[in-house]
């Protein structure tokens, strides 16, 4: 399960369009072994529990 | 005897008796001839003249040879052969070793990594740490031409594919490209931009795909290059 899958499972109304450029959510992976993370969250509902904005600490 | 204003040629006074007109004209003609020759010392096809340090006397400069250019040496014009020089290339070309792949999660902007180099003149890139980055070294701030090529597998024809350059972790202006997708067709996304970069700035290639699943790059045909254009 990717981070995208985890988010869409909680908010099934979201589609990949919400994650595209100019969408309300931006996920990133900086290829530094810290994995996918939420870079931007402008969606009207809160960030799901257990997730947070920003890159996880190494 | 009177003299002319500019070249001091001797002429009869208005009140002089014209008793030796032929001699006076001959003297004036000789003076004119001498002055004209001093001002126009050319003798050969292609000669040019330039003013010398002597009043009303020019210096002849013979034609140069093929390929020479007019320059200045010692305060006067001269012909010289241009120095042929090839500027030293400054830049880096990042690639991947054969068989390298990189997984890209769906709907996630992902930095593309490069574990090999074709060349790297100034340690712009490391093949062991932060391998997605090209970092500007000391003394090399300025304009850079960036080019990238990202090659992605053909297992999905769903969703969209974007590529972009990032500068210091943020997408560079006017750097995003998109290509259409179809199942069975590899995606080869080429992008290019000129960026003004300072020492320690770093640039990266990011890729986005929204196939709904994870896709992989064909790493050995991905590349990221930077060429220093000048300060």
């Amino acid at each position: 399960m990717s981070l995208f899958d985890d988010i869409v499972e909680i908010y099934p109304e979201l589609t990949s369009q919400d994650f595209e450029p100019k969408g309300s959510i931006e996920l990133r992976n900086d290829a530094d072994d810290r994995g996918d993370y939420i870079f931007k969250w402008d969606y009207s509902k809160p960030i799901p529990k257990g997730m947070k904005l920003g890159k996880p600490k190494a | 005897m009177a003299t002319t204003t500019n070249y001091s040629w001797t002429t009869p006074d208005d009140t002089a008796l014209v008793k030796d007109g032929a001699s006076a004209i001959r003297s004036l003609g000789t003076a004119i001839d001498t002055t004209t020759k001093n001002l126009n010392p050319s003798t050969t096809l292609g000669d040019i003249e330039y003013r010398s340090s002597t009043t009303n006397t020019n210096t002849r400069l013979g034609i140069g040879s093929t390929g020479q250019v007019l320059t200045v040496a010692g305060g006067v014009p001269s012909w010289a052969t241009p120095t042929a020089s090839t500027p030293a290339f400054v830049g880096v070309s990042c690639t991947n070793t054969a068989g390298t792949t990189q997984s890209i999660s769906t709907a996630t902007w992902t930095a593309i990594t490069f574990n090999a180099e074709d060349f790297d003149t100034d340690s712009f890139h490391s093949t062991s740490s932060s391998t997605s980055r090209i970092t500007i070294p000391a003394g090399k701030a300025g304009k850079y031409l960036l080019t990238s090529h990202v090659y992605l597998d053909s297992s999905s024809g769903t969703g969209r594919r974007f590529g972009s350059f990032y500068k210091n972790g943020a997408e560079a202006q006017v750097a995003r490209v998109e290509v259409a997708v179809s199942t069975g067709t590899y995606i080869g996304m080429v992008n290019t931009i000129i960026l003004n970069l300072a020492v320690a700035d770093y640039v990266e290639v990011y890729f986005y795909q929204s196939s709904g699943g994870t896709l992989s790059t064909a790493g050995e045909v991905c590349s990221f290059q930077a060429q220093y254009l000048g300060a």
Side-chain angles (χ1 to χ4, degrees):
Chain A
M1 289 276 282
S2 66
L3 179 58
F4 169 81
D5 294 327
D6 293 338
I7 294 171
V8 171
E9 189 173 65
I10 296 166
Y11 296 128
E13 69 275 18
L14 290 172
T15 69
S16 60
Q17 289 185 339
D18 295 298
F19 296 78
E20 288 175 356
K22 297 184 179 178
S24 57
I25 301 169
E26 182 175 336
L27 307 182
R28 266 202 206 177
N29 185 319
D30 296 328
D32 53 4
D33 297 326
R34 290 156 75 174
D36 300 344
Y37 67 96
I38 301 171
F39 179 79
K40 182 184 80 174
W41 186 275
D42 289 338
Y43 188 48
S44 56
K45 297 179 180 177
I47 294 174
K49 282 186 176 180
M51 300 180 189
K52 65 175 186 176
L53 187 66
K55 184 158 40 175
K57 292 182 179 177
Chain B
M1 299 285 275
T3 57
T4 60
T5 302
N6 293 308
Y7 296 114
S8 301
W9 295 326
T10 301
T11 58
D13 291 329
D14 293 342
T15 56
L17 294 175
V18 186
K19 65 178 182 179
D20 194 1
S23 175
I25 292 171
R26 186 165 55 252
S27 296
L28 178 59
T30 298
I32 293 172
D33 181 73
T34 299
T35 299
T36 302
K37 187 59 182 172
N38 287 341
L39 293 174
N40 181 20
S42 295
T43 61
T44 309
L45 177 66
D47 285 354
I48 59 175
E49 296 99 26
Y50 60 87
R51 195 187 192 292
S52 73
S53 57
T54 303
T55 303
N56 296 329
T57 301
N58 287 339
T59 297
R60 168 183 170 266
L61 176 63
I63 187 68
S65 56
T66 300
Q68 287 192 311
V69 296
L70 192 61
T71 186
V72 177
V76 296
S78 63
W79 294 102
T81 301
T83 303
S85 64
T86 302
F89 176 84
V90 173
V92 57
S93 179
C94 310
T95 57
N96 280 300
T97 55
T100 301
T101 61
Q102 180 180 350
S103 296
I104 300 178
S105 300
T106 189
T108 304
W109 282 97
T110 302
I112 304 300
T113 56
F114 301 91
N115 63 15
E117 297 160 351
D118 285 334
F119 49 81
D120 186 352
T121 63
D122 292 76
S123 298
F124 286 96
H125 175 257
S126 168
T127 58
S128 59
S129 64
S130 299
T131 59
S132 62
R133 297 183 181 186
I134 287 175
T135 304
I136 306 307
K140 291 293 185 290
K143 310 292 187 302
Y144 282 82
L145 172 64
L146 306 181
T147 58
S148 68
H149 179 228
V150 178
Y151 207 63
L152 201 70
D153 74 28
S154 61
S155 61
S156 172
T158 303
R160 304 175 74 180
R161 311 287 187 270
F162 295 101
S164 196
F165 290 110
Y166 278 48
K167 174 184 173 182
N168 298 331
E171 188 175 20
Q173 293 292 318
V174 203
R176 188 183 306 156
V177 293
E178 179 179 12
V179 294
V181 295
S182 62
T183 304
T185 303
Y186 277 82
I187 297 301
M189 182 176 286
V190 176
N191 199 358
T192 184
I193 193 172
I194 294 176
L195 288 181
N196 192 27
L197 300 172
V199 172
D201 279 351
Y202 64 92
V203 287
E204 298 168 286
V205 177
Y206 272 71
F207 193 86
Y208 175 97
Q209 61 90 9
S210 56
S211 67
T214 298
L215 295 181
S216 295
T217 63
E220 69 263 37
V221 285
C222 294
S223 64
F224 183 22
Q225 299 163 328
Q227 179 185 358
Y228 180 56
L229 301 176

